[in-house]
Structure formats: structure tokens, C-alpha cells
Amino acid sequence: MRYLKKCCLHLLPQQCLLCLHNTNTRFILCQPCLSWLTWLPPGCTQCALPLKQMNSPYCGQCLSHQQQTDHTLACFSYTHPIRGWIQLYKFKQHLYLHPLFSHCIEQVCQQLLHPYDLIIPMPIYTQRLRERGFNQCDLIAKRLAKNLNRPYANHILRRKKATRPQLTLPAHQRWHNVANSFSTTVDISDLSILVIEDIITTGATIHAAASSLKERGAKHVSVCALARAIPL
């Protein structure tokens, strides 16, 4: 099957999303354009916000409010062209993008401070799952786990209530919006968990998710996201 896929890529090359040249990669992006993307350097240890000064591993918000995430990384800032690709993927069901997204997260998660025992996706509420037809983080997490040969589960962390989309809210409302919105369905004592997220805005969602996981015994909670929204 793998050989057949390589033959198909060679005989029927795809078109790069950026330069529109033919590419024989499976990521819909040629290698030069993948290298051209502006990858985020490691930022705040807990929320991945880029730091203006490196005299502390934490941003001002995370210094002021104790967070439950142990290490958070993001591939890119939530700007063009990543923002457009994520919107096409989530809202227009351009599912061909998820191998690219998984590949990008795979490159970044090599920088995590803590080894992880299990990969899980950030869940979405049941009603939104029915409306959208898929969980955008689930597809990425499942492919990532397969590529890395790591255990994967999508039933451990649940959304127990509907919340408004974080990007539609001012920053001060986002923490209240997701507070107590997650539940962890099984005991995960002494396990280190890697949560896969698509977009981090303020860090409120990943904090709420990590809180739930740690209440059920998680030793470490790391997060890898495709994009980080950066305040102007």
C-alpha cells in the first residue's frame, strides 16, 4: 500500500497550495514552501505566547494566574496563510489538509519537555460534532499517533457543555466561557498526556482541559497546537 501511494504521487503529482507547482509530497505543499512558512519559536512554556524578553519562561498572564498545562507549543501564528487553511479545514471540510497539519505538529512536538504516554485530541461538544461532521483535532491527533507509533484515544476527554467559539469573544470573557466545560472519563493516574489543539487564543481552553485531566490523575499535560493567536 505504501509503495502504491508513492507511485500515485509520482505519476499524479499534486499542486502546491502556495506556489501552485507540482509536488510529489503527500502534504499538499512542496518542501521549499513548507520551509518558507514562518514557524513560531518556543514562547511561554504554558501558553506558547511569543515572549518579548527571555528573562522568564512564562508570559505575564501565566505568571499572574497559575496554569495547569506543563508545556505548550504551537507551530505558527494564526495569520495568513495558516488562518485561511484552518478555516477551510474546519468549516468547509477540506480534509485533505489534515496530513499537512499533522506533519507540522509532528515537527514541533519533538521539542516537548516531557515524554508523553498518550495522544488525545481537544474534544468538541456533541452538537457541534454533529453539525460539523468531524472533530478537526481528532483527525490530526489520530494521524500523528500513527506516524509516531504512540497510543491514541479520543474518548478520555469530553466537552460536557456547549460554549461559544472563543475567537468570537473578547479576551476577558474567554476564561469564563470554558470554565468547568470538560470532564475526564477514566482514571489516568501517573500518565503524561499530549493534547492536540488547532488554535490557541488566550490559553483558557487548554487550561480548562488540563485542569480536568489533572483532576483524574494526569502527571503531565502537554499541548501542541497548529496555530497561536497573537494579540496586537
PDB file of all heavy atoms in Angstrom, residues 152-189:
ATOM      1  N   TYR A 152      -3.173   6.287  21.279  1.00  0.00           N
ATOM      2  CA  TYR A 152      -4.107   7.380  20.967  1.00  0.00           C
ATOM      3  C   TYR A 152      -5.485   7.009  21.503  1.00  0.00           C
ATOM      4  O   TYR A 152      -5.886   5.842  21.472  1.00  0.00           O
ATOM      5  CB  TYR A 152      -4.146   7.581  19.450  1.00  0.00           C
ATOM      6  CG  TYR A 152      -5.448   8.107  18.900  1.00  0.00           C
ATOM      7  CD1 TYR A 152      -5.717   9.469  18.857  1.00  0.00           C
ATOM      8  CD2 TYR A 152      -6.421   7.230  18.416  1.00  0.00           C
ATOM      9  CE1 TYR A 152      -6.915   9.940  18.359  1.00  0.00           C
ATOM     10  CE2 TYR A 152      -7.617   7.690  17.909  1.00  0.00           C
ATOM     11  CZ  TYR A 152      -7.862   9.043  17.884  1.00  0.00           C
ATOM     12  OH  TYR A 152      -9.051   9.499  17.392  1.00  0.00           O
ATOM     13  N   ALA A 153      -6.217   7.992  22.005  1.00  0.00           N
ATOM     14  CA  ALA A 153      -7.592   7.762  22.446  1.00  0.00           C
ATOM     15  C   ALA A 153      -8.380   9.055  22.272  1.00  0.00           C
ATOM     16  O   ALA A 153      -7.862  10.145  22.537  1.00  0.00           O
ATOM     17  CB  ALA A 153      -7.622   7.325  23.903  1.00  0.00           C
ATOM     18  N   ASN A 154      -9.624   8.938  21.840  1.00  0.00           N
ATOM     19  CA  ASN A 154     -10.454  10.133  21.655  1.00  0.00           C
ATOM     20  C   ASN A 154     -11.678  10.141  22.567  1.00  0.00           C
ATOM     21  O   ASN A 154     -12.600  10.930  22.363  1.00  0.00           O
ATOM     22  CB  ASN A 154     -10.890  10.285  20.198  1.00  0.00           C
ATOM     23  CG  ASN A 154     -11.789   9.150  19.734  1.00  0.00           C
ATOM     24  OD1 ASN A 154     -12.092   8.214  20.488  1.00  0.00           O
ATOM     25  ND2 ASN A 154     -12.218   9.224  18.482  1.00  0.00           N
ATOM     26  N   HIS A 155     -11.679   9.248  23.579  1.00  0.00           N
ATOM     27  CA  HIS A 155     -12.837   9.162  24.471  1.00  0.00           C
ATOM     28  C   HIS A 155     -12.525   9.625  25.893  1.00  0.00           C
ATOM     29  O   HIS A 155     -13.429   9.705  26.725  1.00  0.00           O
ATOM     30  CB  HIS A 155     -13.320   7.706  24.531  1.00  0.00           C
ATOM     31  CG  HIS A 155     -12.330   6.780  25.169  1.00  0.00           C
ATOM     32  ND1 HIS A 155     -11.227   6.290  24.472  1.00  0.00           N
ATOM     33  CD2 HIS A 155     -12.244   6.272  26.426  1.00  0.00           C
ATOM     34  CE1 HIS A 155     -10.526   5.515  25.277  1.00  0.00           C
ATOM     35  NE2 HIS A 155     -11.115   5.488  26.458  1.00  0.00           N
ATOM     36  N   ILE A 156     -11.277   9.940  26.173  1.00  0.00           N
ATOM     37  CA  ILE A 156     -10.878  10.226  27.553  1.00  0.00           C
ATOM     38  C   ILE A 156     -11.336  11.611  28.012  1.00  0.00           C
ATOM     39  O   ILE A 156     -11.832  11.779  29.129  1.00  0.00           O
ATOM     40  CB  ILE A 156      -9.347  10.081  27.691  1.00  0.00           C
ATOM     41  CG1 ILE A 156      -8.978   8.599  27.631  1.00  0.00           C
ATOM     42  CG2 ILE A 156      -8.839  10.710  28.988  1.00  0.00           C
ATOM     43  CD1 ILE A 156      -7.505   8.328  27.664  1.00  0.00           C
ATOM     44  N   LEU A 157     -11.187  12.599  27.149  1.00  0.00           N
ATOM     45  CA  LEU A 157     -11.558  13.970  27.495  1.00  0.00           C
ATOM     46  C   LEU A 157     -12.828  14.333  26.745  1.00  0.00           C
ATOM     47  O   LEU A 157     -12.910  14.154  25.524  1.00  0.00           O
ATOM     48  CB  LEU A 157     -10.419  14.933  27.138  1.00  0.00           C
ATOM     49  CG  LEU A 157     -10.574  16.395  27.568  1.00  0.00           C
ATOM     50  CD1 LEU A 157     -10.597  16.503  29.095  1.00  0.00           C
ATOM     51  CD2 LEU A 157      -9.449  17.247  26.994  1.00  0.00           C
ATOM     52  N   ARG A 158     -13.834  14.854  27.468  1.00  0.00           N
ATOM     53  CA  ARG A 158     -15.125  15.196  26.878  1.00  0.00           C
ATOM     54  C   ARG A 158     -15.487  16.650  27.165  1.00  0.00           C
ATOM     55  O   ARG A 158     -15.135  17.190  28.211  1.00  0.00           O
ATOM     56  CB  ARG A 158     -16.235  14.302  27.437  1.00  0.00           C
ATOM     57  CG  ARG A 158     -16.076  12.820  27.136  1.00  0.00           C
ATOM     58  CD  ARG A 158     -16.318  12.533  25.688  1.00  0.00           C
ATOM     59  NE  ARG A 158     -16.409  11.100  25.426  1.00  0.00           N
ATOM     60  CZ  ARG A 158     -16.426  10.577  24.204  1.00  0.00           C
ATOM     61  NH1 ARG A 158     -16.353  11.375  23.155  1.00  0.00           N
ATOM     62  NH2 ARG A 158     -16.509   9.275  24.025  1.00  0.00           N
ATOM     63  N   ARG A 159     -16.204  17.256  26.230  1.00  0.00           N
ATOM     64  CA  ARG A 159     -16.861  18.537  26.483  1.00  0.00           C
ATOM     65  C   ARG A 159     -18.221  18.234  27.091  1.00  0.00           C
ATOM     66  O   ARG A 159     -19.026  17.548  26.484  1.00  0.00           O
ATOM     67  CB  ARG A 159     -17.060  19.310  25.179  1.00  0.00           C
ATOM     68  CG  ARG A 159     -15.794  19.806  24.537  1.00  0.00           C
ATOM     69  CD  ARG A 159     -15.607  21.275  24.746  1.00  0.00           C
ATOM     70  NE  ARG A 159     -14.509  21.771  23.937  1.00  0.00           N
ATOM     71  CZ  ARG A 159     -14.156  23.039  23.876  1.00  0.00           C
ATOM     72  NH1 ARG A 159     -14.809  23.947  24.566  1.00  0.00           N
ATOM     73  NH2 ARG A 159     -13.137  23.423  23.130  1.00  0.00           N
ATOM     74  N   LYS A 160     -18.484  18.765  28.269  1.00  0.00           N
ATOM     75  CA  LYS A 160     -19.742  18.442  28.927  1.00  0.00           C
ATOM     76  C   LYS A 160     -20.798  19.545  28.782  1.00  0.00           C
ATOM     77  O   LYS A 160     -21.916  19.376  29.249  1.00  0.00           O
ATOM     78  CB  LYS A 160     -19.506  18.137  30.402  1.00  0.00           C
ATOM     79  CG  LYS A 160     -18.903  19.263  31.219  1.00  0.00           C
ATOM     80  CD  LYS A 160     -18.627  18.787  32.643  1.00  0.00           C
ATOM     81  CE  LYS A 160     -18.050  19.906  33.500  1.00  0.00           C
ATOM     82  NZ  LYS A 160     -17.749  19.426  34.880  1.00  0.00           N
ATOM     83  N   LYS A 161     -20.430  20.639  28.128  1.00  0.00           N
ATOM     84  CA  LYS A 161     -21.423  21.683  27.869  1.00  0.00           C
ATOM     85  C   LYS A 161     -21.024  22.461  26.638  1.00  0.00           C
ATOM     86  O   LYS A 161     -19.860  22.498  26.251  1.00  0.00           O
ATOM     87  CB  LYS A 161     -21.563  22.620  29.069  1.00  0.00           C
ATOM     88  CG  LYS A 161     -20.320  23.442  29.379  1.00  0.00           C
ATOM     89  CD  LYS A 161     -20.556  24.372  30.563  1.00  0.00           C
ATOM     90  CE  LYS A 161     -19.337  25.255  30.837  1.00  0.00           C
ATOM     91  NZ  LYS A 161     -19.564  26.182  31.969  1.00  0.00           N
ATOM     92  N   ALA A 162     -22.024  23.065  26.009  1.00  0.00           N
ATOM     93  CA  ALA A 162     -21.761  23.897  24.829  1.00  0.00           C
ATOM     94  C   ALA A 162     -21.148  25.221  25.265  1.00  0.00           C
ATOM     95  O   ALA A 162     -21.526  25.788  26.288  1.00  0.00           O
ATOM     96  CB  ALA A 162     -23.049  24.132  24.056  1.00  0.00           C
ATOM     97  N   THR A 163     -20.194  25.694  24.503  1.00  0.00           N
ATOM     98  CA  THR A 163     -19.590  27.001  24.753  1.00  0.00           C
ATOM     99  C   THR A 163     -19.564  27.792  23.453  1.00  0.00           C
ATOM    100  O   THR A 163     -19.612  27.220  22.366  1.00  0.00           O
ATOM    101  CB  THR A 163     -18.148  26.858  25.287  1.00  0.00           C
ATOM    102  OG1 THR A 163     -17.377  26.085  24.346  1.00  0.00           O
ATOM    103  CG2 THR A 163     -18.128  26.165  26.632  1.00  0.00           C
ATOM    104  N   ARG A 164     -19.495  29.081  23.582  1.00  0.00           N
ATOM    105  CA  ARG A 164     -19.394  29.923  22.392  1.00  0.00           C
ATOM    106  C   ARG A 164     -17.977  29.824  21.817  1.00  0.00           C
ATOM    107  O   ARG A 164     -17.014  29.619  22.569  1.00  0.00           O
ATOM    108  CB  ARG A 164     -19.726  31.376  22.747  1.00  0.00           C
ATOM    109  CG  ARG A 164     -21.167  31.594  23.175  1.00  0.00           C
ATOM    110  CD  ARG A 164     -21.386  32.977  23.732  1.00  0.00           C
ATOM    111  NE  ARG A 164     -21.125  34.013  22.735  1.00  0.00           N
ATOM    112  CZ  ARG A 164     -21.114  35.325  23.017  1.00  0.00           C
ATOM    113  NH1 ARG A 164     -21.322  35.740  24.270  1.00  0.00           N
ATOM    114  NH2 ARG A 164     -20.889  36.197  22.058  1.00  0.00           N
ATOM    115  N   PRO A 165     -17.826  29.958  20.487  1.00  0.00           N
ATOM    116  CA  PRO A 165     -16.478  29.927  19.902  1.00  0.00           C
ATOM    117  C   PRO A 165     -15.580  30.995  20.526  1.00  0.00           C
ATOM    118  O   PRO A 165     -15.969  32.165  20.610  1.00  0.00           O
ATOM    119  CB  PRO A 165     -16.736  30.194  18.414  1.00  0.00           C
ATOM    120  CG  PRO A 165     -18.140  29.738  18.186  1.00  0.00           C
ATOM    121  CD  PRO A 165     -18.879  30.068  19.455  1.00  0.00           C
ATOM    122  N   GLN A 166     -14.390  30.592  20.965  1.00  0.00           N
ATOM    123  CA  GLN A 166     -13.504  31.509  21.673  1.00  0.00           C
ATOM    124  C   GLN A 166     -13.118  32.729  20.843  1.00  0.00           C
ATOM    125  O   GLN A 166     -12.983  33.838  21.371  1.00  0.00           O
ATOM    126  CB  GLN A 166     -12.239  30.757  22.112  1.00  0.00           C
ATOM    127  CG  GLN A 166     -12.461  29.728  23.211  1.00  0.00           C
ATOM    128  CD  GLN A 166     -12.737  30.346  24.563  1.00  0.00           C
ATOM    129  OE1 GLN A 166     -13.873  30.767  24.840  1.00  0.00           O
ATOM    130  NE2 GLN A 166     -11.721  30.402  25.387  1.00  0.00           N
ATOM    131  N   LEU A 167     -12.933  32.542  19.541  1.00  0.00           N
ATOM    132  CA  LEU A 167     -12.490  33.653  18.700  1.00  0.00           C
ATOM    133  C   LEU A 167     -13.532  34.753  18.565  1.00  0.00           C
ATOM    134  O   LEU A 167     -13.221  35.857  18.127  1.00  0.00           O
ATOM    135  CB  LEU A 167     -12.097  33.131  17.306  1.00  0.00           C
ATOM    136  CG  LEU A 167     -10.770  32.371  17.237  1.00  0.00           C
ATOM    137  CD1 LEU A 167     -10.603  31.711  15.871  1.00  0.00           C
ATOM    138  CD2 LEU A 167      -9.597  33.305  17.511  1.00  0.00           C
ATOM    139  N   THR A 168     -14.789  34.458  18.954  1.00  0.00           N
ATOM    140  CA  THR A 168     -15.842  35.474  18.853  1.00  0.00           C
ATOM    141  C   THR A 168     -15.951  36.306  20.116  1.00  0.00           C
ATOM    142  O   THR A 168     -16.745  37.259  20.155  1.00  0.00           O
ATOM    143  CB  THR A 168     -17.207  34.805  18.580  1.00  0.00           C
ATOM    144  OG1 THR A 168     -17.593  34.025  19.735  1.00  0.00           O
ATOM    145  CG2 THR A 168     -17.149  33.902  17.364  1.00  0.00           C
ATOM    146  N   LEU A 169     -15.180  35.995  21.139  1.00  0.00           N
ATOM    147  CA  LEU A 169     -15.312  36.648  22.438  1.00  0.00           C
ATOM    148  C   LEU A 169     -14.117  37.534  22.749  1.00  0.00           C
ATOM    149  O   LEU A 169     -12.999  37.231  22.333  1.00  0.00           O
ATOM    150  CB  LEU A 169     -15.447  35.600  23.546  1.00  0.00           C
ATOM    151  CG  LEU A 169     -16.657  34.665  23.481  1.00  0.00           C
ATOM    152  CD1 LEU A 169     -16.535  33.587  24.550  1.00  0.00           C
ATOM    153  CD2 LEU A 169     -17.954  35.434  23.641  1.00  0.00           C
ATOM    154  N   PRO A 170     -14.341  38.615  23.504  1.00  0.00           N
ATOM    155  CA  PRO A 170     -13.190  39.388  23.993  1.00  0.00           C
ATOM    156  C   PRO A 170     -12.399  38.548  24.983  1.00  0.00           C
ATOM    157  O   PRO A 170     -12.920  37.611  25.605  1.00  0.00           O
ATOM    158  CB  PRO A 170     -13.837  40.598  24.679  1.00  0.00           C
ATOM    159  CG  PRO A 170     -15.239  40.183  24.974  1.00  0.00           C
ATOM    160  CD  PRO A 170     -15.633  39.206  23.909  1.00  0.00           C
ATOM    161  N   ALA A 171     -11.132  38.876  25.141  1.00  0.00           N
ATOM    162  CA  ALA A 171     -10.217  38.045  25.921  1.00  0.00           C
ATOM    163  C   ALA A 171     -10.713  37.793  27.341  1.00  0.00           C
ATOM    164  O   ALA A 171     -10.611  36.669  27.856  1.00  0.00           O
ATOM    165  CB  ALA A 171      -8.835  38.693  25.949  1.00  0.00           C
ATOM    166  N   HIS A 172     -11.288  38.814  27.993  1.00  0.00           N
ATOM    167  CA  HIS A 172     -11.665  38.663  29.399  1.00  0.00           C
ATOM    168  C   HIS A 172     -12.845  37.715  29.589  1.00  0.00           C
ATOM    169  O   HIS A 172     -13.082  37.225  30.689  1.00  0.00           O
ATOM    170  CB  HIS A 172     -11.990  40.030  30.019  1.00  0.00           C
ATOM    171  CG  HIS A 172     -13.230  40.682  29.472  1.00  0.00           C
ATOM    172  ND1 HIS A 172     -13.225  41.405  28.295  1.00  0.00           N
ATOM    173  CD2 HIS A 172     -14.510  40.701  29.931  1.00  0.00           C
ATOM    174  CE1 HIS A 172     -14.446  41.856  28.056  1.00  0.00           C
ATOM    175  NE2 HIS A 172     -15.242  41.441  29.021  1.00  0.00           N
ATOM    176  N   GLN A 173     -13.618  37.440  28.528  1.00  0.00           N
ATOM    177  CA  GLN A 173     -14.759  36.528  28.635  1.00  0.00           C
ATOM    178  C   GLN A 173     -14.402  35.081  28.318  1.00  0.00           C
ATOM    179  O   GLN A 173     -15.174  34.163  28.614  1.00  0.00           O
ATOM    180  CB  GLN A 173     -15.888  36.983  27.701  1.00  0.00           C
ATOM    181  CG  GLN A 173     -16.540  38.289  28.097  1.00  0.00           C
ATOM    182  CD  GLN A 173     -17.705  38.649  27.177  1.00  0.00           C
ATOM    183  OE1 GLN A 173     -18.224  37.816  26.453  1.00  0.00           O
ATOM    184  NE2 GLN A 173     -18.115  39.905  27.218  1.00  0.00           N
ATOM    185  N   ARG A 174     -13.258  34.848  27.711  1.00  0.00           N
ATOM    186  CA  ARG A 174     -12.926  33.506  27.250  1.00  0.00           C
ATOM    187  C   ARG A 174     -12.663  32.539  28.387  1.00  0.00           C
ATOM    188  O   ARG A 174     -12.988  31.358  28.297  1.00  0.00           O
ATOM    189  CB  ARG A 174     -11.725  33.565  26.295  1.00  0.00           C
ATOM    190  CG  ARG A 174     -12.052  34.289  25.000  1.00  0.00           C
ATOM    191  CD  ARG A 174     -10.838  34.467  24.116  1.00  0.00           C
ATOM    192  NE  ARG A 174     -11.176  35.241  22.918  1.00  0.00           N
ATOM    193  CZ  ARG A 174     -10.304  35.671  22.038  1.00  0.00           C
ATOM    194  NH1 ARG A 174      -9.012  35.416  22.208  1.00  0.00           N
ATOM    195  NH2 ARG A 174     -10.688  36.371  20.984  1.00  0.00           N
ATOM    196  N   TRP A 175     -12.105  33.025  29.481  1.00  0.00           N
ATOM    197  CA  TRP A 175     -11.829  32.143  30.622  1.00  0.00           C
ATOM    198  C   TRP A 175     -13.130  31.669  31.255  1.00  0.00           C
ATOM    199  O   TRP A 175     -13.279  30.481  31.578  1.00  0.00           O
ATOM    200  CB  TRP A 175     -10.950  32.868  31.641  1.00  0.00           C
ATOM    201  CG  TRP A 175      -9.581  33.120  31.108  1.00  0.00           C
ATOM    202  CD1 TRP A 175      -9.181  34.178  30.332  1.00  0.00           C
ATOM    203  CD2 TRP A 175      -8.434  32.281  31.255  1.00  0.00           C
ATOM    204  NE1 TRP A 175      -7.855  34.047  29.993  1.00  0.00           N
ATOM    205  CE2 TRP A 175      -7.368  32.903  30.548  1.00  0.00           C
ATOM    206  CE3 TRP A 175      -8.191  31.083  31.913  1.00  0.00           C
ATOM    207  CZ2 TRP A 175      -6.095  32.349  30.484  1.00  0.00           C
ATOM    208  CZ3 TRP A 175      -6.920  30.530  31.863  1.00  0.00           C
ATOM    209  CH2 TRP A 175      -5.887  31.160  31.155  1.00  0.00           C
ATOM    210  N   HIS A 176     -14.087  32.575  31.425  1.00  0.00           N
ATOM    211  CA  HIS A 176     -15.391  32.200  31.986  1.00  0.00           C
ATOM    212  C   HIS A 176     -16.145  31.278  31.038  1.00  0.00           C
ATOM    213  O   HIS A 176     -16.848  30.365  31.481  1.00  0.00           O
ATOM    214  CB  HIS A 176     -16.213  33.456  32.271  1.00  0.00           C
ATOM    215  CG  HIS A 176     -17.584  33.169  32.803  1.00  0.00           C
ATOM    216  ND1 HIS A 176     -17.811  32.710  34.081  1.00  0.00           N
ATOM    217  CD2 HIS A 176     -18.812  33.245  32.201  1.00  0.00           C
ATOM    218  CE1 HIS A 176     -19.101  32.518  34.261  1.00  0.00           C
ATOM    219  NE2 HIS A 176     -19.732  32.838  33.147  1.00  0.00           N
ATOM    220  N   ASN A 177     -15.987  31.500  29.740  1.00  0.00           N
ATOM    221  CA  ASN A 177     -16.726  30.732  28.733  1.00  0.00           C
ATOM    222  C   ASN A 177     -16.424  29.237  28.812  1.00  0.00           C
ATOM    223  O   ASN A 177     -17.314  28.404  28.632  1.00  0.00           O
ATOM    224  CB  ASN A 177     -16.380  31.260  27.337  1.00  0.00           C
ATOM    225  CG  ASN A 177     -17.169  30.586  26.229  1.00  0.00           C
ATOM    226  OD1 ASN A 177     -18.391  30.472  26.291  1.00  0.00           O
ATOM    227  ND2 ASN A 177     -16.472  30.149  25.197  1.00  0.00           N
ATOM    228  N   VAL A 178     -15.180  28.874  29.086  1.00  0.00           N
ATOM    229  CA  VAL A 178     -14.784  27.449  29.065  1.00  0.00           C
ATOM    230  C   VAL A 178     -14.564  26.857  30.455  1.00  0.00           C
ATOM    231  O   VAL A 178     -14.216  25.679  30.570  1.00  0.00           O
ATOM    232  CB  VAL A 178     -13.511  27.240  28.215  1.00  0.00           C
ATOM    233  CG1 VAL A 178     -13.774  27.577  26.765  1.00  0.00           C
ATOM    234  CG2 VAL A 178     -12.342  28.049  28.769  1.00  0.00           C
ATOM    235  N   ALA A 179     -14.772  27.660  31.498  1.00  0.00           N
ATOM    236  CA  ALA A 179     -14.557  27.153  32.854  1.00  0.00           C
ATOM    237  C   ALA A 179     -15.469  25.950  33.123  1.00  0.00           C
ATOM    238  O   ALA A 179     -16.662  25.968  32.824  1.00  0.00           O
ATOM    239  CB  ALA A 179     -14.821  28.256  33.876  1.00  0.00           C
ATOM    240  N   ASN A 180     -14.893  24.886  33.658  1.00  0.00           N
ATOM    241  CA  ASN A 180     -15.649  23.672  34.024  1.00  0.00           C
ATOM    242  C   ASN A 180     -16.417  23.072  32.850  1.00  0.00           C
ATOM    243  O   ASN A 180     -17.500  22.503  33.033  1.00  0.00           O
ATOM    244  CB  ASN A 180     -16.614  23.964  35.169  1.00  0.00           C
ATOM    245  CG  ASN A 180     -15.906  24.458  36.418  1.00  0.00           C
ATOM    246  OD1 ASN A 180     -14.913  23.874  36.842  1.00  0.00           O
ATOM    247  ND2 ASN A 180     -16.397  25.544  36.988  1.00  0.00           N
ATOM    248  N   SER A 181     -15.869  23.202  31.655  1.00  0.00           N
ATOM    249  CA  SER A 181     -16.582  22.694  30.475  1.00  0.00           C
ATOM    250  C   SER A 181     -16.081  21.322  30.022  1.00  0.00           C
ATOM    251  O   SER A 181     -16.587  20.774  29.051  1.00  0.00           O
ATOM    252  CB  SER A 181     -16.470  23.686  29.315  1.00  0.00           C
ATOM    253  OG  SER A 181     -15.127  23.879  28.932  1.00  0.00           O
ATOM    254  N   PHE A 182     -15.097  20.755  30.744  1.00  0.00           N
ATOM    255  CA  PHE A 182     -14.537  19.453  30.359  1.00  0.00           C
ATOM    256  C   PHE A 182     -14.733  18.427  31.470  1.00  0.00           C
ATOM    257  O   PHE A 182     -14.804  18.776  32.653  1.00  0.00           O
ATOM    258  CB  PHE A 182     -13.041  19.568  30.060  1.00  0.00           C
ATOM    259  CG  PHE A 182     -12.719  20.404  28.857  1.00  0.00           C
ATOM    260  CD1 PHE A 182     -12.419  21.750  28.987  1.00  0.00           C
ATOM    261  CD2 PHE A 182     -12.697  19.846  27.581  1.00  0.00           C
ATOM    262  CE1 PHE A 182     -12.121  22.530  27.885  1.00  0.00           C
ATOM    263  CE2 PHE A 182     -12.398  20.612  26.472  1.00  0.00           C
ATOM    264  CZ  PHE A 182     -12.111  21.957  26.620  1.00  0.00           C
ATOM    265  N   SER A 183     -14.788  17.177  31.070  1.00  0.00           N
ATOM    266  CA  SER A 183     -14.756  16.073  32.031  1.00  0.00           C
ATOM    267  C   SER A 183     -13.816  14.993  31.491  1.00  0.00           C
ATOM    268  O   SER A 183     -13.709  14.810  30.277  1.00  0.00           O
ATOM    269  CB  SER A 183     -16.150  15.492  32.258  1.00  0.00           C
ATOM    270  OG  SER A 183     -16.652  14.912  31.067  1.00  0.00           O
ATOM    271  N   THR A 184     -13.144  14.311  32.400  1.00  0.00           N
ATOM    272  CA  THR A 184     -12.256  13.210  32.042  1.00  0.00           C
ATOM    273  C   THR A 184     -12.932  11.916  32.469  1.00  0.00           C
ATOM    274  O   THR A 184     -13.308  11.764  33.633  1.00  0.00           O
ATOM    275  CB  THR A 184     -10.881  13.371  32.719  1.00  0.00           C
ATOM    276  OG1 THR A 184     -10.316  14.625  32.293  1.00  0.00           O
ATOM    277  CG2 THR A 184      -9.940  12.248  32.335  1.00  0.00           C
ATOM    278  N   THR A 185     -13.078  10.998  31.528  1.00  0.00           N
ATOM    279  CA  THR A 185     -13.967   9.858  31.722  1.00  0.00           C
ATOM    280  C   THR A 185     -13.337   8.673  32.434  1.00  0.00           C
ATOM    281  O   THR A 185     -14.047   7.788  32.900  1.00  0.00           O
ATOM    282  CB  THR A 185     -14.506   9.375  30.359  1.00  0.00           C
ATOM    283  OG1 THR A 185     -13.403   8.975  29.529  1.00  0.00           O
ATOM    284  CG2 THR A 185     -15.277  10.490  29.660  1.00  0.00           C
ATOM    285  N   VAL A 186     -12.014   8.616  32.513  1.00  0.00           N
ATOM    286  CA  VAL A 186     -11.344   7.468  33.131  1.00  0.00           C
ATOM    287  C   VAL A 186     -10.208   7.945  34.023  1.00  0.00           C
ATOM    288  O   VAL A 186      -9.753   9.092  33.921  1.00  0.00           O
ATOM    289  CB  VAL A 186     -10.768   6.499  32.061  1.00  0.00           C
ATOM    290  CG1 VAL A 186     -11.871   5.898  31.214  1.00  0.00           C
ATOM    291  CG2 VAL A 186      -9.738   7.206  31.191  1.00  0.00           C
ATOM    292  N   ASP A 187      -9.760   7.074  34.888  1.00  0.00           N
ATOM    293  CA  ASP A 187      -8.605   7.366  35.732  1.00  0.00           C
ATOM    294  C   ASP A 187      -7.333   7.320  34.877  1.00  0.00           C
ATOM    295  O   ASP A 187      -7.101   6.354  34.151  1.00  0.00           O
ATOM    296  CB  ASP A 187      -8.513   6.354  36.866  1.00  0.00           C
ATOM    297  CG  ASP A 187      -7.312   6.626  37.759  1.00  0.00           C
ATOM    298  OD1 ASP A 187      -7.322   7.648  38.462  1.00  0.00           O
ATOM    299  OD2 ASP A 187      -6.358   5.811  37.720  1.00  0.00           O
ATOM    300  N   ILE A 188      -6.540   8.364  34.952  1.00  0.00           N
ATOM    301  CA  ILE A 188      -5.302   8.427  34.157  1.00  0.00           C
ATOM    302  C   ILE A 188      -4.103   8.715  35.070  1.00  0.00           C
ATOM    303  O   ILE A 188      -3.171   9.413  34.704  1.00  0.00           O
ATOM    304  CB  ILE A 188      -5.395   9.489  33.035  1.00  0.00           C
ATOM    305  CG1 ILE A 188      -5.912  10.828  33.571  1.00  0.00           C
ATOM    306  CG2 ILE A 188      -6.280   8.997  31.903  1.00  0.00           C
ATOM    307  CD1 ILE A 188      -5.874  11.947  32.537  1.00  0.00           C
ATOM    308  N   SER A 189      -4.148   8.142  36.251  1.00  0.00           N
ATOM    309  CA  SER A 189      -3.099   8.377  37.245  1.00  0.00           C
ATOM    310  C   SER A 189      -1.719   8.067  36.682  1.00  0.00           C
ATOM    311  O   SER A 189      -1.503   7.021  36.058  1.00  0.00           O
ATOM    312  CB  SER A 189      -3.351   7.512  38.485  1.00  0.00           C
ATOM    313  OG  SER A 189      -4.537   7.913  39.130  1.00  0.00           O
TER     314      SER A 189
END
